[in-house]
Structure formats: structure tokens, C-alpha cells
Amino acid sequence: MAKRKLLVLSRYGEKGASSRLRFFQYITALQAAGFEVTVSPFFDDDYLEALYVTGRRSGADIVLAYFKRMLMLLKARDYSAVWVEKETLPFLPGIFEAWLSFMKVPYIIDYDDAIFHNYDQHRSLWVRTLLGTKLDVLLGAARCVTVGNSYLEQYAIQHGAKIVECFPTVVDIKRYPVLPPVASSELRIGWIGTPSTSKYLEIIRPVLESLSKKINIKLVTIGAPDLGHYQCPLEQHPWSADTEGLLLSSVHVGVMPLFDDMWERGKCGYKLIQYMACGRPVIASPIGVNVDIVNPDVGFWQKQKMIGMLLLKS
């Protein structure tokens, strides 16, 4: 029997959390099940590293990314199926998303973010008008749409998806050791993310700075940019797949503050899952799937500046 060939059109390489957790960690299992897997990220790890370091996007790299993706789409018929992360060609009209259907290639799409709000909530009227429903054609022709929470599930159903499966983002618990709490006089408050998501730490910055004057705390970050302007004790680490689990096991509590906005309602609570995999309690904004992940009996809800009170009570 001919080997089944699967083309994975991920958004990023393995250093992109969404691609790593929703795609790459399943490739070994797919290969063991008899699939020949080809992975073609839209943006590679070099692009992502440069973006995190400089905060700027390279125009040349973006043009190259579109060129490479278009070449892969032309080869789609060579595969038994295609597995798409989010969309095939970002910020191009929906007619381009119809290519896989036109080629009669069966495909599955996965969403772990509300990327449709990049279009239907864009500040530009032209973007909202031209691209606001660009995903509809992709959703309508998909064999299956997989999503990370009910917010994304409802959008997919309302916009034409015929079969929608909701499953959470998960982690390999072998990579997250459950260790006894670090013996320390300080309360170690952990946060993990990327430079682009570190903006959420600003929500709790005033509370952390005020709290540090009352009790001995330290904000431990993994993957955040330099926060030297924070007026509270800091311990900052670069992100690495090899060290994230051990570093998270060194904190006493993990935090996930969020704004209450449409984009945030599409998030899949990855930070919370990581903290919990290490056996750590969490404090989270009650936004989106966080409400489903956190059990109030063992975790804490954070409503903006109430985090300080909750920490003191804990």
C-alpha cells in the first residue's frame, strides 16, 4: 500500500508556540501511524528570532515567505491531505484560500487564536471590507476544522465549517517536572511568553510594584524582553524548550493576566496549562477559555488590580 503523504502548512517553525504545540509535537505519532510528513512553515525560526530581538519584520523575508508558500500550494496535489495552521496566505483575499478546494485536495485547518479578528476588527475599513470574511471559503471547504476553545468553535460553525472538533492545547508532561516548591523567603511569581505577549504584564505591573514594598516577591519571566524599568525584583530568562519546564518548577505561582477583548477571548490558555503541568497554582484573568481551565477551588481569578489582594490571601 502506498504511504499516505501529509503536507503540514504551519505558520511558524518549532520556535513558534502555536505551531510547536498544535502541530510539531504530533509529527512523530503521525509518522508512526504510517504518514510521510512534510512540514513547510510560512515563517521559519530565523524570522521569528529576528522579530523577537528587533521587534521589526523584514520585508524581504515576508516576500520570500509568500513565494515559498505559493510554491508549496502548487505542489499540494502530490499529497494525500494538507494540514493548515490558521490560513494559507495571510492578508490575501479569500479567493487565494480557495486554491486547495479548487485543486480538490482534502485539508484540515487548525485555530488556536482568533486570527479572524486581524481582519474583521482591523482599524482599516479597506481591510475589514476586503478581508473581513476571507476565511469563510477556507472553512467551508475543509474536511474538518480543529479549534482550541468554544469561542473559536462558534466562529468556525457560524462561518461555514461542516465538521468542527474542539480539543485543548496540551503539553508533554514529561517535559514539565513536578518538584517541591523552592525553599525561599521570597514569593516567586512566574510568567512565560514572548516579547509580543509581554504587554499583558503591564496590567499587573502597578500591583507588583506596590506589593513588592509590602512582602518579599520576585517576578520570574521566561521569554519576556528586558523589564528593567519595573520597580520590583526581577529574574529574567530567555525561552528555551530545554529549560522552560525546570524554570517553571522554580516558581511558586504562575500568572496569566489578559485584557478583556475579542482577541484575548480566542486564546487557549497555554500558560496556565504549563504552570499546572508543573503542579503550580495559577492566577488568571477570567477571560475566554481561562474560565474553563481554572478551578476556582485550586486557582485564583484575577480581575485587573485585584491580583495583589489574591496573592496576599494565598
Side-chain angles (χ1 to χ4, degrees):
M1 184 178 69
K3 204 164 196 177
R4 292 169 294 178
K5 297 175 67 176
L6 176 66
L7 174 61
V8 176
L9 297 179
S10 62
R11 175 63 65 93
Y12 303 108
E14 289 195 69
K15 291 191 176 179
S18 60
S19 300
R20 184 174 66 254
L21 272 294
R22 303 290 292 190
F23 289 80
F24 282 88
Q25 72 171 342
Y26 298 110
I27 289 175
T28 300
L30 286 166
Q31 291 170 333
F35 284 92
E36 180 183 310
V37 182
T38 299
V39 183
S40 180
F42 190 84
F43 292 121
D44 60 20
D45 286 340
D46 290 341
Y47 170 88
L48 205 57
E49 285 183 4
L51 176 62
Y52 287 161
V53 170
T54 66
R56 296 189 296 272
R57 303 174 188 274
S58 164
D61 287 344
I62 292 173
V63 170
L64 180 60
Y66 277 93
F67 178 73
K68 289 167 57 180
R69 175 56 58 87
M70 287 178 179
L71 284 181
M72 291 308 299
L73 287 171
L74 289 173
K75 298 176 183 178
R77 264 193 184 149
D78 297 338
Y79 295 88
S80 308
V82 179
W83 192 12
V84 181
E85 181 177 3
K86 299 179 173 70
E87 59 193 330
T88 61
L89 293 163
F91 279 91
L92 289 187
I95 189 171
F96 291 93
E97 299 295 343
W99 178 257
L100 290 175
S101 175
F102 174 75
M103 296 287 284
K104 301 189 184 306
V105 178
Y107 64 90
I108 297 170
I109 324 168
D110 181 76
Y111 294 97
D112 72 336
D113 274 319
I115 68 145
F116 38 86
H117 290 326
N118 287 339
Y119 306 120
D120 62 17
Q121 297 298 314
H122 198 278
R123 63 181 179 275
S124 167
L125 175 61
W126 283 105
V127 172
R128 295 197 303 272
T129 302
L130 294 175
L131 305 179
T133 58
K134 70 157 285 185
L135 298 179
D136 289 14
V137 63
L138 193 64
L139 290 164
R143 293 293 179 90
C144 180
V145 178
T146 56
V147 297
N149 62 48
S150 58
Y151 185 78
L152 303 175
E153 179 182 26
Q154 287 304 308
Y155 181 91
I157 292 171
Q158 291 167 5
H159 288 259
K162 298 175 181 65
I163 299 175
V164 183
E165 296 290 341
C166 186
F167 70 90
T169 298
V170 295
V171 299
D172 181 353
I173 58 173
K174 295 191 294 294
R175 300 179 64 88
Y176 295 84
V178 180
L179 303 175
V182 174
S184 173
S185 61
E186 64 188 11
L187 177 64
R188 294 171 59 81
I189 303 168
W191 180 90
I192 187 169
T194 66
S196 64
T197 58
S198 64
K199 62 186 178 182
Y200 299 118
L201 283 170
E202 287 296 318
I203 297 171
I204 61 173
R205 176 184 169 188
V207 174
L208 291 173
E209 292 178 344
S210 176
L211 193 61
S212 68
K213 298 174 184 177
K214 301 175 183 178
I215 62 174
N216 190 10
I217 67 166
K218 179 174 284 185
L219 175 62
V220 181
T221 68
I222 304 169
D226 180 19
L227 301 178
H229 57 291
Y230 276 44
Q231 300 300 306
C232 67
L234 292 169
E235 179 182 315
Q236 296 203 251
H237 300 272
W239 177 85
S240 167
D242 296 328
T243 60
E244 63 175 355
L246 195 59
L247 287 172
L248 286 177
S249 290
S250 76
V251 306
H252 296 114
V253 60
V255 295
M256 186 178 176
L258 288 176
F259 302 121
D260 187 2
D261 209 343
M262 297 177 78
W263 175 264
E264 283 69 27
R265 292 169 200 166
K267 285 188 167 294
C268 291
Y270 176 40
K271 292 176 177 59
L272 298 182
I273 295 164
Q274 289 179 289
Y275 304 145
M276 292 177 175
C278 293
R280 297 301 182 253
V282 299
I283 299 175
S285 298
I287 308 300
V289 78
N290 286 6
V291 176
D292 300 320
I293 293 174
V294 178
N295 180 342
D297 294 331
V298 296
F300 303 96
W301 289 126
Q302 174 262 322
K303 293 188 177 179
Q304 304 297 334
K305 296 185 178 181
M306 291 299 289
I307 188 172
M309 184 181 300
L310 294 170
L311 279 170
L312 289 170
K313 287 184 177 180
S314 67

